[in-house]
Protein backbone atom coordinates (compact mmCIF):
# COMPACT_ATOMS: atom_id res chain seq x y z
CA UNK A 1 0.00 0.00 0.00
CA UNK A 2 2.81 2.40 0.99
CA UNK A 3 6.43 1.98 -0.04
CA UNK A 4 9.40 2.56 2.26
CA UNK A 5 7.70 2.46 5.66
CA UNK A 6 10.18 2.04 8.50
CA UNK A 7 9.61 0.74 12.03
CA UNK A 8 10.82 2.81 14.96
CA UNK A 9 11.12 0.66 18.08
CA UNK A 10 10.80 1.85 21.66
CA UNK A 11 14.51 2.47 22.20
CA UNK A 12 14.90 4.37 18.94
CA UNK A 13 14.19 7.86 17.68
CA UNK A 14 13.53 8.89 14.12
CA UNK A 15 14.77 12.20 12.75
CA UNK A 16 14.19 13.81 9.38
CA UNK A 17 16.71 16.25 7.91
CA UNK A 18 14.85 18.83 5.81
CA UNK A 19 17.99 19.90 3.95
CA UNK A 20 19.16 16.49 2.78
CA UNK A 21 15.73 14.81 2.84
CA UNK A 22 17.16 11.89 4.80
CA UNK A 23 15.34 10.01 7.56
CA UNK A 24 17.57 8.38 10.14
CA UNK A 25 16.78 6.01 12.99
CA UNK A 26 19.10 6.00 15.99
CA UNK A 27 19.05 4.67 19.53
CA UNK A 28 18.30 7.28 22.15
CA UNK A 29 19.57 5.14 25.03
CA UNK A 30 21.61 2.03 25.60
CA UNK A 31 20.42 -0.03 28.56
CA UNK A 32 23.63 -2.09 28.66
CA UNK A 33 25.66 1.01 29.54
CA UNK A 34 23.28 2.13 32.31
CA UNK A 35 22.84 -1.16 34.17
CA UNK A 36 25.68 -3.03 35.81
CA UNK A 37 25.42 -6.79 35.44
CA UNK A 38 24.48 -8.46 38.72
CA UNK A 39 25.20 -12.11 39.39
CA UNK A 40 23.24 -13.08 42.49
CA UNK A 41 23.52 -16.55 43.93
CA UNK A 42 20.68 -19.00 43.28
CA UNK A 43 19.37 -18.52 46.83
CA UNK A 44 19.42 -14.71 46.47
CA UNK A 45 17.64 -14.86 43.12
CA UNK A 46 15.02 -17.25 44.51
CA UNK A 47 14.41 -15.00 47.53
CA UNK A 48 14.11 -11.93 45.28
CA UNK A 49 11.58 -13.62 42.99
CA UNK A 50 9.60 -14.86 46.00
CA UNK A 51 9.59 -11.35 47.54
CA UNK A 52 8.51 -9.68 44.28
CA UNK A 53 5.77 -12.27 43.65
CA UNK A 54 4.39 -11.97 47.19
CA UNK A 55 4.46 -8.16 46.97
CA UNK A 56 2.58 -8.27 43.66
CA UNK A 57 -0.08 -10.60 45.09
CA UNK A 58 -0.41 -8.48 48.26
CA UNK A 59 -0.80 -5.34 46.17
CA UNK A 60 -3.62 -6.87 44.12
CA UNK A 61 -5.33 -8.81 46.92
CA UNK A 62 -7.79 -6.15 48.00
CA UNK A 63 -11.32 -7.43 48.49
CA UNK A 64 -14.06 -7.29 51.08
CA UNK A 65 -14.96 -10.94 50.44
CA UNK A 66 -12.87 -14.15 50.55
CA UNK A 67 -10.72 -14.60 47.45
CA UNK A 68 -9.59 -17.87 45.87
CA UNK A 69 -6.92 -18.44 43.24
CA UNK A 70 -5.79 -21.25 40.97
CA UNK A 71 -2.07 -21.20 40.31
CA UNK A 72 -0.71 -22.03 36.90
CA UNK A 73 1.75 -24.70 37.98
CA UNK A 74 4.60 -22.63 36.55
CA UNK A 75 7.21 -20.51 38.27
CA UNK A 76 4.79 -19.32 40.93
CA UNK A 77 4.19 -22.88 42.16
CA UNK A 78 7.88 -23.81 42.24
CA UNK A 79 8.85 -21.18 44.82
CA UNK A 80 8.27 -23.42 47.81
Amino acid sequence: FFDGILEVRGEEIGSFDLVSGRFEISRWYDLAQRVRPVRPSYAEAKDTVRHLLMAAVRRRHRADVPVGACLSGGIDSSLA
Side-chain angles (χ1 to χ4, degrees):
F1 190 74
F2 292 104
D3 190 29
I5 293 180
L6 302 173
E7 175 185 7
V8 180
R9 297 184 307 222
E11 75 274 4
E12 297 175 334
I13 187 169
S15 59
F16 182 74
D17 186 345
L18 292 173
V19 177
S20 66
R22 288 184 38 195
F23 180 76
E24 293 182 0
I25 297 175
S26 58
R27 293 184 75 155
W28 64 278
Y29 75 89
D30 187 2
L31 189 59
Q33 291 180 359
R34 295 176 183 239
V35 178
R36 294 183 325 191
V38 177
R39 300 276 184 209
S41 68
Y42 177 77
E44 291 171 330
K46 183 177 172 183
D47 287 343
T48 300
V49 170
R50 180 191 309 266
H51 171 74
L52 292 172
L53 180 63
M54 295 304 286
V57 170
R58 238 183 272 105
R59 188 175 308 127
R60 287 160 182 83
H61 187 112
R62 296 184 183 145
D64 56 354
V65 296
V67 177
C70 297
L71 297 177
S72 66
I75 191 168
D76 49 1
S77 297
S78 63
L79 292 174

